[in-house]
Amino acid sequence: MADLITSSLFHDAADLFTLEHQGRAFTMLRHPVERAVSMYYYRTRGENADIDPSVTLEDYARGEGIENNWLTRFLTDRMEGELLKEDLDNAMDILSRKFLIGFLDDGEESIARMMKYFGWTYAEDSTKKMLQEDCVKELIDDGTNRNIEGYELPKKGTQAYALISWQTQFDVKLYEYALGVFETQTKHWGTKARKKALKKKKGGK
């Protein structure tokens, strides 16, 4: 039996589990605008590009390829049609109740939480432990399935940024909500350093 299953298809993956064989979910998030821009360059410039490179970022954001509120739709299984506030509320509820939250730009802390959450530990053998730690560090620094195409994010105030923000408006709100969930989860799953920093932050208010 597998110890870990990875999938972007939350509802389909959930069908693999039962009351007798329950799962625990975690996710690694990135800012929706950054994700959308990365996907544009991957799909127009990457090795497996499926969109003509003549399509501009603005055209892409108008609807020529962009995924509209991808995270909200996948969490709520609303892949088509207009999203409503109720869908966002549902996505927030699912994210807070079902997931341990992690962030790609806070990789070291996020992976430490996952290890604690699932009871994962490094090998006792010092050599194996060093190899495992190096593997984790490489994963944090270099990522996996990363878009190797160099790109810059559009600046706020530009048409491209406005269009992408509109296409990801629910996801941006969901991302901001997830930041709060991440902070709340610090109490149980955060590292000692992060708990200390959070305590200091709250004490300074």
Side-chain angles (χ1 to χ4, degrees), residues 18-36:
T18 65
L19 291 175
E20 290 74 29
H21 299 92
Q22 298 184 33
R24 309 183 80 184
F26 70 92
T27 185
M28 293 289 285
L29 302 176
R30 68 192 300 192
H31 195 281
V33 172
E34 180 184 342
R35 180 187 179 276

Side-chain angles (χ1 to χ4, degrees), residues 19-143:
L19 291 175
E20 290 74 29
H21 299 92
Q22 298 184 33
R24 309 183 80 184
F26 70 92
T27 185
M28 293 289 285
L29 302 176
R30 68 192 300 192
H31 195 281
V33 172
E34 180 184 342
R35 180 187 179 276
V37 175
S38 176
M39 283 297 294
Y40 163 75
Y41 282 99
Y42 175 77
R43 296 186 65 187
T44 58
R45 310 289 198 278
E47 183 179 350
N48 298 310
D50 60 348
I51 296 178
D52 193 294
S54 65
V55 174
T56 67
L57 181 58
E58 289 82 0
D59 291 336
Y60 177 81
R62 286 189 182 96
E64 293 189 33
I66 194 170
E67 297 169 308
N68 174 269
N69 293 299
W70 177 87
L71 181 58
T72 304
R73 291 186 180 280
F74 268 81
L75 284 175
T76 59
D77 203 24
R78 287 264 295 167
M79 302 311 297
E80 297 180 355
E82 181 181 357
L83 290 174
L84 305 173
K85 183 181 182 300
E86 289 77 11
D87 297 310
L88 176 61
D89 292 340
N90 187 22
M92 288 178 173
D93 181 61
I94 292 171
L95 202 61
S96 63
R97 289 191 302 107
K98 300 291 187 180
F99 287 88
L100 177 75
I101 306 296
F103 291 95
L104 289 180
D105 60 0
D106 197 0
E108 186 173 350
E109 173 70 19
S110 297
I111 288 182
R113 293 184 182 202
M114 288 178 193
M115 292 184 68
K116 185 177 181 180
Y117 186 64
F118 289 104
W120 296 337
T121 58
Y122 291 115
E124 294 183 2
D125 180 82
S126 59
T127 301
K128 289 183 179 179
K129 180 182 179 182
M130 182 176 65
L131 290 173
Q132 290 171 343
E133 290 174 337
D134 288 343
C135 182
V136 169
K137 185 178 186 304
E138 182 178 345
L139 180 64
I140 293 171
D141 293 341
D142 300 332

Side-chain angles (χ1 to χ4, degrees), residues 175-195:
Y175 179 88
E176 292 170 348
Y177 175 77
L179 289 170
V181 176
F182 183 77
E183 185 171 293
T184 300
Q185 291 178 346
T186 299
K187 179 179 179 181
H188 294 292
W189 309 111
T191 60
K192 290 182 179 179
R194 190 57 59 90
K195 288 180 180 179

Side-chain angles (χ1 to χ4, degrees), residues 5-18 21 23 25 99:
I5 297 172
T6 61
S7 175
S8 61
L9 305 177
F10 169 62
H11 290 275
D12 291 339
D15 290 339
L16 298 172
F17 301 95
T18 65
H21 299 92
F99 287 88

